[in-house]
Amino acid sequence: MPFLFSGFLDLIAGYGYKPMRSLIAYLVIIFGFMGLYLLNAHFVTPHLRWDEALLLSVSSFHGRGFFSQNVSLGDTYARLAAAEAVVGLLIEISFIATFTQRFFGK
């Protein structure tokens, strides 16, 4: 298990020496899930505009997803938001590790 976290930290933040990687990962996840929300919007209701999908993606990433009253917990939107919240938690952990490394160094 420590090997997986170490590899993840290397990939996302270069062990704290490449904080730009964390920012790029953040943007890739936000826009990637925005695309998934828009793709899902073609098949179900409510239909989302691009700005609504972006807002849903950002709020879900940070674990504060919100939905209209037409969306239930079993809907694809809710499942995507839950997945994005978990990925967001991992990215936020890498931010903390990266900036801790930058400011306090070894």
Side-chain angles (χ1 to χ4, degrees):
M1 188 67 169
F3 175 74
L4 290 176
F5 182 70
S6 177
F8 172 75
L9 194 56
D10 180 35
L11 177 70
I12 299 298
Y15 292 114
Y17 294 104
K18 298 182 180 183
M20 189 57 83
R21 283 188 188 178
S22 294
L23 179 63
I24 291 168
Y26 176 81
L27 294 173
V28 166
I29 297 300
I30 292 292
F31 287 110
F33 273 93
M34 178 184 131
L36 289 174
Y37 292 131
L38 288 173
L39 181 65
N40 186 51
H42 287 292
F43 302 110
V44 298
T45 57
H47 299 289
L48 298 176
R49 296 186 323 257
W50 72 269
D51 59 329
E52 293 170 333
L54 179 62
L55 181 63
L56 179 58
S57 182
V58 169
S59 64
S60 295
F61 181 94
H62 295 285
R64 294 163 188 82
F66 56 89
F67 307 102
S68 70
Q69 295 191 353
N70 302 353
V71 177
S72 70
L73 292 177
D75 290 340
T76 308
Y77 286 128
R79 293 173 192 268
L80 285 171
E84 187 174 11
V86 170
V87 172
L89 177 64
L90 295 174
I91 299 295
E92 288 174 345
I93 289 170
S94 78
F95 276 144
I96 292 167
T98 298
F99 290 109
T100 300
Q101 174 68 26
R102 291 293 259 185
F103 291 125
F104 298 113
K106 288 185 177 181

